[in-house]
Amino acid sequence: QVQLAESGGGLVHPGGSLRLSCAASGTVSNINTMGWFRQAPGKQRELVATITSGGSTNYAASVKGRFTISRDNAKNTVYLQMNTLTSEDTAVYYCNALRRLGPSVNANYWGQGTQVTVSS
């Protein structure tokens, strides 16, 4: 079992920055990919950014160039640096981890979510 604890959410003004953290605990071995998703009111949950065990990153078009995902393997932690925030970034942000249990078998884990509000 993997537990994901997010932190760093809050209220920020448009154009501001925020850094989210997600610390994994429990059975943290074989976590191949970690990432961030978000869900705004009235919208479906969407992928924000992912990072593989090899360091390969992927970003949603809406955040590319503004957000940066990174990781600290020693601390089993993934980060999301968010810059030039707009009201469109307001959402609950969820940390995600994909753990390989065996060939073609994976387990998906989610954090509890942290609220990010961008408002004047």
Side-chain angles (χ1 to χ4, degrees), residues 30-91:
N30 301 118
I31 295 179
N32 295 331
T33 305
M34 299 185 72
W36 293 91
F37 292 71
R38 67 185 182 186
Q39 187 166 21
K43 296 184 177 181
Q44 292 187 305
R45 185 174 298 185
E46 65 175 352
L47 183 147
V48 177
T50 61
I51 183 167
T52 68
S53 59
S56 179
T57 59
N58 184 53
Y59 297 92
S62 59
V63 307
K64 186 162 50 182
R66 299 187 297 120
F67 291 10
T68 302
I69 188 170
S70 61
R71 65 177 183 175
D72 186 333
N73 290 327
K75 297 181 179 180
N76 299 122
T77 301
V78 63
Y79 306 93
L80 185 68
Q81 178 66 47
M82 306 184 293
N83 299 324
T84 321
L85 287 162
T86 76
S87 60
E88 298 299 317
D89 298 313
T90 296

